[in-house]
Amino acid sequence: MAALAVKVESVPSLSPSQLTLRDPSCRPLQSDAINAVFYFNVNSCGTTRRFDNNLLTYENEVLFTSYRLRVACHYLVNDTKVVQFLYQNNPAPVVQPGLGDLAVIMRLALDSTYNDFYGARDYPVVKYLRRPLYFEVELLYSRDPQAELFLENCWATYSADRDSLPKWDVVVDSCENSADTYKTVFHPVSSNARVVFPSHLKRFEVKMFSFTRDRTALKGQIYFHCSVVICDSNRPSDSLCSRRCIPGKQRLGRSAEGMDGGAVKVFVSSGPIELKRDGSLHFMPRSAQFNVWSLLGAAMGVCSVVIFIAGVVSFWKLPKSVY
């Protein structure tokens, strides 16, 4: 509360600095020869409070020997105040696009657990014919749970150039190659200490093979490549992003680079894998499948000729032993 006390002519001997409130210790904050100004809290200096219907009143007094000034503040207990204000719509938020490269890696696992992988120093990795190769393709550094990685096509080549020939398809339109004797096997991915977002990975298994020319296995190294599509799982209008295997006839005229306006296509490749010959295994090359029964029949024929010749030699040797 604030109170202003003014000197009056009826008390000529009054000095405003000598005025007090009900509590004598509450003296003027400011004073001069004519005025005295008091500032005090409603709960101090002997201030009283009372209710009169809907009115709350705080009272105190400015006092001197022959001077008394009543001070009061009145408040409505219930009241409505109308306050006018203006508003304006906030501007629409503007999204600033950020540019960056998607990092996708293709790795070869030591076994089907996918816990350990061959490092850069391990290449070329040496494998026996028809031994399984466990590949993992992963989207790196992304923390977006809505991003999902899909294998579009995967193939093997005889050189590091993914567009080189000869080539052999191991994944076609997100499916195994129907023309392959040993079909690709897809392995599920579950979350663990290493895998935070299973949708960022794909795993598949193929059997080691050799390219041939004129039914002769070519010496050298094999490279595996994949075209990978990154999709928004909330916008699965494209069939590839809907987790479906897509027959080729349904994909005619479809552009992978423009899928749903949000998919991105990238390519990844593995390091070189070298075939180690195993004498106990017969080559079943990808470019020309041999007939096992024909080979077996030919082998039996050769054995018969050898037995026949051995019999003739023995027959002619016997007479020589008689003489």
Side-chain angles (χ1 to χ4, degrees), residues 151-154 169-180 183-186 204 240 243-248 251:
L151 301 176
E152 186 180 39
N153 296 292
C154 295
D169 294 321
V170 294
V171 175
V172 180
D173 297 336
S174 306
C175 313
E176 67 274 7
N177 184 3
S178 59
D180 204 340
K183 290 184 172 53
T184 300
V185 178
F186 296 97
F204 64 95
L240 180 62
R243 309 170 180 83
R244 293 201 302 269
C245 179
I246 313 161
R251 294 170 60 93

Coordinates of all heavy atoms in Angstrom, one line a residue, residues 151-154 169-180 183-186 204 240 243-248 251:
L151 N 16.7 -55.2 -51.0 CA 17.6 -55.7 -52.1 C 16.8 -55.8 -53.3 O 15.7 -56.5 -53.4 CB 18.2 -57.1 -51.8 CG 19.0 -57.2 -50.5 CD1 19.5 -58.6 -50.3 CD2 20.2 -56.3 -50.6
E152 N 17.2 -55.0 -54.4 CA 16.4 -55.1 -55.6 C 17.0 -56.2 -56.5 O 16.3 -57.2 -56.8 CB 16.6 -53.8 -56.4 CG 15.7 -53.7 -57.6 CD 15.8 -52.4 -58.3 OE1 16.9 -51.9 -58.4 OE2 14.8 -51.9 -58.9
N153 N 18.3 -56.2 -56.8 CA 18.9 -57.2 -57.6 C 20.3 -57.4 -57.0 O 21.0 -56.5 -56.6 CB 19.0 -56.9 -59.1 CG 17.7 -56.8 -59.7 OD1 17.0 -57.8 -59.9 ND2 17.3 -55.5 -60.1
C154 N 20.8 -58.7 -57.0 CA 22.2 -59.0 -56.7 C 22.7 -60.0 -57.7 O 22.0 -60.8 -58.2 CB 22.3 -59.6 -55.3 SG 21.7 -58.5 -53.9
D169 N 23.0 -63.9 -61.9 CA 22.1 -63.3 -60.9 C 21.8 -64.2 -59.8 O 21.5 -65.4 -59.9 CB 20.7 -63.0 -61.6 CG 20.9 -61.9 -62.7 OD1 21.7 -61.0 -62.5 OD2 20.3 -62.1 -63.8
V170 N 21.9 -63.7 -58.6 CA 21.6 -64.5 -57.3 C 20.3 -63.9 -56.7 O 19.6 -64.7 -55.9 CB 22.8 -64.4 -56.4 CG1 23.9 -65.2 -56.9 CG2 23.1 -63.0 -56.0
V171 N 20.0 -62.7 -56.9 CA 18.7 -62.1 -56.5 C 18.1 -61.3 -57.6 O 18.8 -60.4 -58.2 CB 18.9 -61.1 -55.2 CG1 17.6 -60.5 -54.9 CG2 19.4 -61.9 -54.0
V172 N 16.9 -61.6 -58.0 CA 16.2 -61.0 -59.1 C 14.9 -60.4 -58.7 O 14.0 -61.1 -58.2 CB 16.0 -62.0 -60.3 CG1 15.3 -61.3 -61.5 CG2 17.3 -62.6 -60.7
D173 N 14.8 -59.1 -58.8 CA 13.5 -58.4 -58.4 C 13.1 -58.8 -56.9 O 12.0 -59.1 -56.6 CB 12.4 -58.8 -59.3 CG 12.6 -58.3 -60.7 OD1 13.4 -57.4 -60.9 OD2 12.0 -58.9 -61.7
S174 N 14.1 -58.8 -56.1 CA 14.0 -59.0 -54.6 C 13.7 -60.5 -54.3 O 13.3 -60.8 -53.2 CB 12.9 -58.2 -54.0 OG 13.1 -56.8 -54.3
C175 N 13.8 -61.4 -55.3 CA 13.5 -62.8 -55.1 C 14.8 -63.6 -55.5 O 15.7 -63.1 -56.1 CB 12.3 -63.3 -56.0 SG 10.9 -62.2 -56.0
E176 N 14.7 -64.9 -55.1 CA 15.8 -65.8 -55.5 C 15.7 -66.0 -57.0 O 14.7 -65.9 -57.6 CB 15.8 -67.1 -54.8 CG 14.6 -68.0 -55.1 CD 13.4 -67.6 -54.3 OE1 13.4 -66.7 -53.5 OE2 12.4 -68.4 -54.4
N177 N 16.8 -66.3 -57.7 CA 16.9 -66.6 -59.1 C 16.3 -68.0 -59.4 O 16.8 -69.0 -59.0 CB 18.3 -66.5 -59.6 CG 18.4 -66.7 -61.1 OD1 17.4 -66.8 -61.8 ND2 19.6 -66.7 -61.6
S178 N 15.2 -68.0 -60.1 CA 14.5 -69.3 -60.4 C 15.3 -70.2 -61.3 O 15.1 -71.4 -61.3 CB 13.1 -69.0 -61.0 OG 13.2 -68.3 -62.2
A179 N 16.2 -69.6 -62.0 CA 17.1 -70.4 -62.9 C 18.3 -71.1 -62.2 O 19.0 -71.8 -62.8 CB 17.5 -69.6 -64.1
D180 N 18.4 -70.7 -61.0 CA 19.6 -71.2 -60.2 C 19.3 -72.6 -59.6 O 18.3 -72.8 -59.0 CB 20.0 -70.2 -59.1 CG 21.4 -70.3 -58.8 OD1 22.0 -71.3 -59.0 OD2 21.9 -69.3 -58.2
K183 N 19.4 -72.2 -55.0 CA 18.7 -70.9 -54.9 C 19.2 -70.1 -53.6 O 19.6 -70.7 -52.6 CB 17.2 -71.1 -54.8 CG 16.6 -71.6 -56.1 CD 15.1 -71.7 -56.0 CE 14.5 -72.0 -57.4 NZ 15.1 -73.1 -58.1
T184 N 19.2 -68.8 -53.8 CA 19.5 -67.9 -52.7 C 18.6 -68.1 -51.5 O 17.4 -68.2 -51.7 CB 19.5 -66.5 -53.1 OG1 20.4 -66.3 -54.2 CG2 19.9 -65.5 -52.0
V185 N 19.2 -68.1 -50.3 CA 18.4 -68.2 -49.1 C 18.4 -66.9 -48.3 O 19.5 -66.3 -48.1 CB 18.9 -69.3 -48.2 CG1 18.1 -69.4 -46.9 CG2 18.9 -70.7 -48.9
F186 N 17.3 -66.3 -48.0 CA 17.2 -65.1 -47.2 C 17.1 -65.4 -45.7 O 16.3 -66.2 -45.3 CB 16.0 -64.2 -47.7 CG 16.1 -63.8 -49.1 CD1 15.5 -64.5 -50.1 CD2 16.9 -62.7 -49.5 CE1 15.6 -64.1 -51.5 CE2 17.0 -62.3 -50.8 CZ 16.4 -63.0 -51.8
F204 N 21.5 -62.6 -46.8 CA 21.2 -63.7 -47.7 C 22.4 -64.6 -47.9 O 23.6 -64.3 -47.6 CB 20.8 -63.2 -49.1 CG 21.8 -62.4 -49.9 CD1 22.6 -63.0 -50.8 CD2 22.0 -61.1 -49.7 CE1 23.6 -62.3 -51.5 CE2 23.0 -60.3 -50.3 CZ 23.8 -61.0 -51.3
L240 N 8.1 -52.9 -54.1 CA 9.3 -53.3 -53.5 C 9.4 -52.9 -52.1 O 9.9 -53.6 -51.2 CB 10.5 -52.7 -54.3 CG 11.9 -53.1 -53.8 CD1 12.1 -54.6 -53.9 CD2 13.0 -52.4 -54.6
R243 N 7.6 -55.0 -49.0 CA 8.1 -56.3 -48.6 C 7.6 -57.4 -49.4 O 7.3 -58.5 -48.9 CB 7.8 -56.5 -47.1 CG 8.2 -55.3 -46.2 CD 7.6 -55.5 -44.8 NE 8.0 -54.4 -43.9 CZ 7.3 -53.3 -43.9 NH1 6.3 -53.1 -44.7 NH2 7.7 -52.3 -43.1
R244 N 7.4 -57.2 -50.7 CA 6.8 -58.3 -51.5 C 7.9 -58.7 -52.6 O 8.6 -57.8 -53.1 CB 5.5 -57.9 -52.2 CG 4.4 -57.7 -51.3 CD 3.1 -57.8 -52.0 NE 3.0 -56.8 -53.1 CZ 2.5 -55.6 -53.0 NH1 2.0 -55.2 -51.8 NH2 2.4 -54.8 -54.0
C245 N 7.9 -60.0 -52.9 CA 8.7 -60.4 -54.0 C 8.0 -60.1 -55.3 O 6.8 -60.4 -55.4 CB 9.0 -61.9 -53.9 SG 10.0 -62.6 -55.2
I246 N 8.7 -59.4 -56.3 CA 8.0 -58.9 -57.4 C 8.3 -59.7 -58.7 O 9.5 -59.6 -59.1 CB 8.3 -57.4 -57.6 CG1 8.2 -56.7 -56.3 CG2 7.5 -56.8 -58.7 CD1 9.0 -55.4 -56.3
P247 N 7.4 -60.4 -59.3 CA 7.7 -61.1 -60.6 C 8.1 -60.0 -61.6 O 7.6 -58.9 -61.6 CB 6.4 -61.8 -60.9 CG 5.7 -61.9 -59.6 CD 6.1 -60.7 -58.8
G248 N 9.0 -60.4 -62.5 CA 9.5 -59.5 -63.5 C 8.4 -58.9 -64.4 O 8.5 -57.7 -64.7
R251 N 7.0 -55.7 -63.2 CA 7.9 -54.6 -63.0 C 8.2 -53.8 -64.3 O 9.0 -52.9 -64.3 CB 9.2 -55.0 -62.3 CG 9.0 -55.5 -60.9 CD 10.3 -56.2 -60.4 NE 11.4 -55.3 -60.4 CZ 11.7 -54.5 -59.3 NH1 11.0 -54.6 -58.2 NH2 12.8 -53.7 -59.4

